[in-house]
Structure formats: C-alpha cells, structure tokens
C-alpha cells in the first residue's frame, strides 16, 4: 500500500509538490526551483495553473491568513474563496463585524 501524500506550495515560484506527510523527524521542505521553504497546504489542495496570477494571489492571501486545505471528516476542506473579489468581500465583512479574518474567509455565505 502506498504512503499517503499531501501538498506543499512555493508561492514565489507558483509551484506545487506532492510529498509524504511529515513524520516524527520531519525536516523543512524546500522548493526544487528556488530552495525557499515550502508551505504545507494539505491533502485536499488543487493547485491553480502557474500563469493564473489572480488565483495565486488569492491563494497567497488564504495561506498567509492561516487557511489550509486539509480534508475534514465529511470529505473535502469546505468552502474556500477562489477570486480576489470574494476575498475582498470577506475582508470587509471581517472588518465590519470583528470576526477573525481566517474565519470570515472560510464562511460559505455572508449574512
């Protein structure tokens, strides 16, 4: 049986890598292109195309807010915004209500 893998990304290179889950002696994963540290994004991650700059900017906002793409008990990771417009709407909602930014980002619908 093959070992399960998870995704890591390099934002500067817009690259995604599938690698084994970190173990007890896990080491920092680095990008094969630029040798910068990779960000662990989770096993339910689907990378955008490298030339889709808007999608990578959206992904960058999500990752810097601490949002990841780990599978939940019921399947996928849940809602994640796909466009910068959706991110801006949720940023405005978080500012107006005081809700934590990361929590507002994963909210499917805004009241």
């Amino acid at each position: 049986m093959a070992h399960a893998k998870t995704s890591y990304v390099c934002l500067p290179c817009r690259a995604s890598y599938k690698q084994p889950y970190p173990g007890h002696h896990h080491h920092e994963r680095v990008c094969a292109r630029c040798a910068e540290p990779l960000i662990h994004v989770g096993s339910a991650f689907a990378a955008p195309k490298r030339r889709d700059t808007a999608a990578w900017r959206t992904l960058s906002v999500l990752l810097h807010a601490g949002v990841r793409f780990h599978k939940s008990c019921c399947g996928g990771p849940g809602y994640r915004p796909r466009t910068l417009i959706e991110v801006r709407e949720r940023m405005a909602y978080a500012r107006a209500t005081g809700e934590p930014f990361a929590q507002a980002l994963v909210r499917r619908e805004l009241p």
Side-chain angles (χ1 to χ4, degrees):
M1 182 174 188
H3 293 284
K5 292 191 175 188
T6 187
S7 294
Y8 291 82
V9 297
C10 176
L11 292 174
C13 295
R14 296 186 198 152
S16 174
Y17 303 95
K18 288 273 191 188
Q19 296 186 359
Y21 276 94
H24 294 292
H25 303 289
H26 100 272
H27 57 282
E28 188 174 89
R29 312 286 169 105
V30 294
C31 178
R33 293 168 176 237
C34 69
E36 289 293 318
L38 295 174
I39 301 169
H40 182 212
V41 293
S43 59
F45 175 72
K49 299 222 182 276
R50 185 168 285 129
R51 64 185 167 271
D52 188 351
T53 56
W56 280 95
R57 285 174 55 201
T58 301
L59 177 61
S60 176
V61 170
L62 291 171
L63 295 178
H64 285 101
V67 176
R68 299 296 188 262
F69 298 82
H70 298 287
K71 291 181 181 174
S72 69
C73 64
C74 301
Y79 174 79
R80 302 292 186 262
R82 292 186 169 265
T83 65
L84 290 171
I85 292 171
E86 291 174 331
V87 169
R88 286 187 196 112
E89 288 171 348
R90 282 154 179 75
M91 286 173 70
Y93 175 78
R95 275 194 295 273
T97 62
E99 182 174 3
F101 184 51
Q103 189 175 340
L105 282 172
V106 297
R107 181 182 283 277
R108 182 169 291 282
E109 294 182 19
L110 297 177

